[in-house]
């Protein structure tokens, strides 16, 4: 029997794993510039990883539902993800005083990894 929810969960898990790997690689690359740069890259990528994890749980956690409810859960997940990402980036720059460029590079790498994981579904 075909279960589209389990396929969606597998795809989301694979994409999150790719994002975590890309974040780790970028943080290691920025380690040569210092610990604060590596931490900033990890925070930027980690914000996207955590946001996508929460969004996938919200979107795929409700089981089989009517189309309107499913779309509503998907949209709420995406909104929650980006609110969480922007909040963590704001905390990183304003409160923790981390360098912004490594944070943005970490965020970009994690987002690009998400796209690549969805393109390479094999």
């Amino acid at each position: 029997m075909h279960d589209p929810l389990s396929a969606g969960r597998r795809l989301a898990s694979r994409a999150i794993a790719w994002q975590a790997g890309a974040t780790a690689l970028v943080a290691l690359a920025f380690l040569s510039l210092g610990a604060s740069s590596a931490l900033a890259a990890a925070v930027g990528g980690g914000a996207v990883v955590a946001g996508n994890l929460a969004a996938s749980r919200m979107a795929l956690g409700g089981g089989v539902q009517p189309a309107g409810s499913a779309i509503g859960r998907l949209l709420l997940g995406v909104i929650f993800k980006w609110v969480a990402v922007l909040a963590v980036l704001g905390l990183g720059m304003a409160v923790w005083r981390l360098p912004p460029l490594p944070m943005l590079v970490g965020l970009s790498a994690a987002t690009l990894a998400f796209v690549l994981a969805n393109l390479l579904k094999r």
Side-chain angles (χ1 to χ4, degrees):
M1 176 171 14
H2 178 69
D3 183 11
L5 288 178
S6 66
R9 285 187 197 102
R10 278 193 311 272
L11 182 60
S13 296
R14 183 173 46 245
I16 290 168
W18 277 57
Q19 286 181 309
T23 298
L25 288 175
V26 169
L28 283 174
F30 273 104
L31 192 57
S32 65
L33 297 177
S36 65
S37 293
L39 179 62
V43 166
V48 177
V49 171
N52 276 334
L53 182 63
S56 69
R57 299 279 185 225
M58 189 177 293
L60 299 171
V64 177
Q65 296 178 350
S69 298
I71 292 293
R73 289 176 65 90
L74 182 66
L75 289 175
L76 282 175
V78 170
I79 290 169
F80 179 75
K81 173 182 88 169
W82 286 109
V83 166
V85 167
L86 292 175
V88 170
L89 290 179
L91 282 172
M93 287 189 275
V95 176
W96 301 324
R97 304 275 187 221
L98 294 172
L101 182 63
M103 264 198 291
L104 291 176
V105 172
L107 182 140
S108 299
T111 303
L112 181 61
F114 182 79
V115 172
L116 288 175
N118 284 321
L119 286 176
L120 306 172
K121 294 184 206 180
R122 297 177 204 189

